[in-house]
Amino acid sequence: MNRENEPRDTVVIFIRHAESEYAAGREQERGLTQQGMKNARRVSEMLAMEPIDHVYSSPYVRAILTVQALADARGLTVRPVDELHERRIAGDDHPLTASQFIASKRRAFEDFTYAEPGGESSEAAQSRAVPSLLGLIRRHDGQRIAIGTHGDIMTLMMNYFDSGYGYDFWKGTSMPDIYRCTFRGGNLVEVERMWK
């Protein structure tokens, strides 16, 4: 039997960033807390035996810092991808309280066209990020890649392949968090949560 034409598994390890202290208007530059830096090192330790060929990230500092030790341990470079940045729920001139933020987040997952003033709808964020993800999967067919990411945009990327990934999934994720996703023939065939 000829197996040359069979689709190969490509593994994407989504690594949600570690704890980062919120600072209004500094979405791109926010770093990690002390606990976040400890957990970023733990991410690298947890994945020490995991084969990884490439490391990509959202361009936001907290996402890059979370995967930097992982990349350094393997002699790899963290390559930022602009389209994988976090979805903005509201603009800086439309601040939300914590309860408003959660309510808006839920609504944005339930109605993919909804967006607060200055924010990005789920539909727009998914349409921005998924083509980049699919491009990485095609480029690295049969390989294993790690992506430093955010809870919201990670959920929206996974939702593209399986609508079961929505608000409840997002709310159940931690900082950091790790999901190993196996893709075959352009389909998401397996998801394993690795963070413990």
Side-chain angles (χ1 to χ4, degrees), residues 2-39:
N2 186 353
R3 295 185 176 272
E4 284 183 24
N5 295 324
E6 287 186 13
R8 299 188 297 172
D9 287 355
T10 302
V11 173
V12 175
I13 300 172
F14 287 117
I15 302 168
R16 185 185 185 192
H17 69 79
E19 183 181 85
S20 176
E21 195 167 317
Y22 178 73
R26 296 191 55 237
E27 194 60 11
Q28 296 181 34
E29 297 87 28
R30 287 198 277 142
L32 300 177
T33 63
Q34 281 191 325
Q35 184 60 49
M37 290 303 291
K38 284 182 192 172
N39 281 341

Side-chain angles (χ1 to χ4, degrees), residues 120-194:
E120 187 178 25
S121 70
S122 293
E123 183 177 67
Q126 192 178 66
S127 296
R128 157 177 59 80
V130 168
S132 288
L133 173 64
L134 292 173
L136 292 176
I137 292 170
R138 280 192 300 274
R139 184 178 316 145
H140 302 300
D141 180 47
Q143 294 185 308
R144 302 168 79 89
I145 62 177
I147 299 178
T149 189
H150 308 267
D152 205 330
I153 201 67
M154 174 183 74
T155 302
L156 288 169
M157 287 189 282
M158 293 168 73
N159 171 276
Y160 174 82
F161 299 94
D162 182 342
S163 62
Y165 293 99
Y167 174 80
D168 289 336
F169 171 79
W170 167 80
K171 198 149 181 9
T173 61
S174 61
M175 288 188 276
D177 215 337
I178 307 172
Y179 291 86
R180 178 171 44 205
C181 299
T182 303
F183 294 87
R184 185 180 306 139
N187 298 308
L188 177 60
V189 296
E190 185 179 359
V191 176
E192 177 190 354
R193 187 179 193 183
M194 302 178 72

Side-chain angles (χ1 to χ4, degrees), residues 37-50:
M37 290 303 291
K38 284 182 192 172
N39 281 341
R41 288 189 292 275
R42 190 166 161 232
V43 165
S44 179
E45 291 163 6
M46 283 183 68
L47 296 175
M49 303 306 292
E50 191 77 22

